[in-house]
Amino acid sequence: MNKVVVIGAQWGDEGKGRIVDLLAERADLVARFNGGHNAGHTLVVNGQTWKLALLPCGLLRGKKGVIGNGVVVDPQALLAEIDRVAAQGLAVTPDTLAIADNATLLLPSHVALDAAQEALRAQPVGTTGRGIGPAFEDRAGRRAIRLAELADPAMLRLRLAEALAYHNALLTAQGYPAFDLEAVLAGLLELAPRLLPFIQPAWQLLNEADEAGRRILFEGAQAMLLDVEHGTYPFVTSSGTGPAQAASGTGLGGAARGQVLGVCKAYATRVGEGPFPTELLGAAGDALRQRGGEYGTNTGRPRRCGWLDAALLRKSVRVGGITQLALTKLDVLDGMEELRICTGYRVDGAPRADYPAAMAERGRVEPVYETLPGWRESTRGARSLDALPEAARAYIRRIEQLAGAPVALISTSAERDDVIQLRDPWAER
Ligand code: IMP
């Protein structure tokens, strides 16, 4: 197996970064394929904390990074991130990072539109406010500027004028100030010389690497339940988050035939608005948030916390073609008397296996729980299954049964090497 796709199996923040980091050790290339700098990946390496948003985590393992065409790129955010990691000792150069020439440019006006759209919504999505949605809308609307245009100031001006005409019409109608073409253009032209050396047909690079049998790791951002089509719409992000997106968002069609590792927290969290059937409100939710340190990497927003929803996890496994699971933050559950897992729902008292698509019905959903015994012992830092208490092993077995996929990896602390490895995603078909 020379291709592994890592995706989130819940609502994001499952700890994909550290799983990618682990697998990247034996990869040759690591490619991002969706989202933008709404993603936040925190990694702890030898006590040093790294926070990445656009840069593929594999760069920390010295692997070649690729930002695929499925990513929306805010040039200022990207260069600031490159400078930030450089100050921490990691040099990102055109030798170590390739950015797709057909990736979409995220403009300052997209950020303004993100806020303007949220203000208009009867039910705000609770976006990260980074302009991600409006940038993807422009791509679908054929107004987007692709990174390749940064090389040609005249074409850039033409494309920018078209995009800003549209953005300004929307913004001024809502009473927001318009963006000045010359000012935005000057900003882009100032950044272009630093960005251009990274920009290339990344799809070719990836296909050639694949044909040469090199190992490619696809690093998903967000997660299946935030997928624009299969997630808890409309409280989702605006890009695809599954392996099909890994293929289309890099131009390596065979990506979707790789191993698909779904990362899942041992409980559940969500940032922003939207359905969360197993959410714990009040003191119980606060306690889980404290124990798990559940605050957003990028935005610092407190995350909503709750029990594992195995019914939605099973949906992620099926929709995302997940072949193996990675379970993270098991240690956060240490010391809890009992644990609950949601196995399905009731709507108006009638049993229902799947979470409804219709929004009105969702308001009437009640989760159905199964209760399992907790464990008193610490699982923190465990590196073998034998080191776990039997109740923890039983919890993991039950997740496998309900989700319909085997657990390959279990992480037991924020440290890079505190992992129980049961299967090797690179070794299996
Ligand atoms: P957007 O992607 O900024 O448009 O936000 C849409 C929804 O996705 C919001 O509920 C965000 O909180 C959520 N979201 C976006 N990126 C992430 C992420 O990396 N982790 C967790 N949630 C995210």
Side-chain angles (χ1 to χ4, degrees):
M1 177 52 61
N2 79 323
K3 294 181 279 294
V4 175
V5 184
V6 177
I7 62 173
Q10 295 161 309
W11 285 287
D13 309 310
E14 297 93 348
K16 291 179 292 294
R18 60 158 313 163
I19 300 295
V20 167
D21 174 55
L22 188 79
L23 294 176
E25 192 170 17
R26 286 184 295 135
D28 297 303
L29 296 98
V30 182
R32 278 281 305 268
F33 57 81
N34 72 328
H37 67 312
N38 49 350
H41 292 162
T42 306
L43 291 114
V44 180
V45 185
N46 298 329
Q48 192 180 14
T49 301
W50 299 80
K51 292 189 184 224
L52 303 180
L54 269 168
L55 293 173
C57 297
L59 289 168
L60 294 176
R61 289 278 187 186
K63 305 302 161 129
K64 175 124 190 166
V66 177
I67 295 180
N69 54 275
V71 178
V72 289
V73 180
D74 177 332
Q76 200 148 21
L78 176 64
L79 291 173
E81 192 174 328
I82 289 175
D83 290 342
R84 202 168 59 240
V85 298
Q88 279 190 271
L90 178 74
V92 177
T93 69
D95 284 335
T96 61
L97 177 71
I99 308 177
D101 55 3
N102 55 342
T104 293
L105 193 62
L106 191 148
L107 300 167
S109 45
H110 289 134
V111 181
L113 282 168
D114 200 347
Q117 291 179 353
E118 280 283 80
L120 277 185
R121 287 185 177 117
Q123 296 173 289
V125 172
T127 73
T128 59
R130 304 276 152 102
I132 307 295
F136 278 114
E137 274 178 47
D138 271 5
R139 189 180 69 175
R142 279 76 46 95
R143 287 178 299 276
I145 303 171
R146 307 202 302 179
L147 293 184
E149 311 307 347
L150 288 174
D152 182 340
M155 183 55 76
L156 187 62
R157 172 190 289 273
L158 201 79
R159 297 291 299 159
L160 189 60
E162 186 180 315
L164 286 186
Y166 185 80
H167 297 171
N168 285 338
L170 292 172
L171 289 168
T172 54
Q174 259 184 275
Y176 297 102
F179 280 81
D180 176 53
L181 171 64
E182 296 311 323
V184 179
L185 182 65
L188 290 175
L189 289 174
E190 193 186 323
L191 302 175
R194 273 194 76 193
L195 281 170
L196 284 169
F198 293 98
I199 294 171
Q200 56 177 286
W203 72 274
Q204 276 177 9
L205 174 96
L206 286 167
N207 276 276
E208 282 161 18
D210 184 36
E211 283 152 19
R214 302 186 73 202
R215 282 181 170 169
I216 307 170
L217 186 61
F218 296 86
E219 176 181 339
Q222 292 87 47
M224 277 324 298
L225 302 178
L226 289 172
D227 182 272
V228 66
E229 291 184 87
H230 294 288
T232 46
Y233 194 91
F235 304 97
V236 292
T237 193
S238 6
S239 61
T241 56
Q245 177 65 31
S248 68
T250 59
L252 176 53
R257 288 196 297 272
Q259 190 78 252
V260 183
L261 188 67
V263 186
C264 174
K265 234 177 246 190
Y267 47 101
T269 64
R270 168 160 211 172
V271 255
E273 302 306 317
F276 186 174
T278 58
E279 182 170 13
L280 282 167
L281 300 169
D286 293 343
L288 200 49
R289 183 176 311 112
Q290 286 306 322
R291 297 162 69 102
E294 297 293 353
Y295 297 90
T297 303
N298 272 327
T299 57
R301 290 189 286 178
R303 296 180 185 141
R304 300 156 65 193
C305 298
W307 299 117
L308 184 78
D309 188 334
L312 279 175
L313 177 60
R314 176 150 177 80
K315 178 178 181 184
S316 292
V317 166
R318 297 165 90 185
V319 170
I322 290 171
T323 54
Q324 299 183 344
L325 291 167
L327 200 63
T328 59
K329 297 188 111 171
L330 183 70
D331 58 299
V332 172
L333 300 180
D334 291 352
M336 294 187 73
E337 211 141 281
E338 51 185 34
L339 302 169
R340 296 173 114 193
I341 302 182
C342 169
T343 56
Y345 312 96
R346 281 183 183 279
V347 179
D348 300 330
R352 181 164 182 148
D354 291 322
Y355 192 72
M359 291 174 74
E361 256 183 329
R362 289 176 180 172
R364 307 198 300 275
V365 161
E366 279 174 77
V368 175
Y369 287 111
E370 189 175 290
T371 303
L372 277 78
W375 53 90
R376 285 186 188 289
E377 301 88 333
S378 168
T379 62
R380 203 173 164 76
R383 295 190 183 182
S384 77
L385 209 52
D386 292 343
L388 297 181
E390 171 49 27
R393 291 202 297 263
Y395 184 64
I396 295 163
R397 280 196 301 272
R398 190 64 184 132
I399 293 172
E400 289 181 317
Q401 282 168 354
L402 291 168
V407 170
L409 300 165
I410 304 162
S411 78
T412 55
S413 94
E415 267 300 326
R416 189 183 232 180
D417 297 320
D418 286 343
V419 169
I420 302 171
Q421 184 144 11
L422 302 172
R423 290 163 178 258
D424 178 2
W426 289 118
E428 297 169 39
R429 173 60 249 169

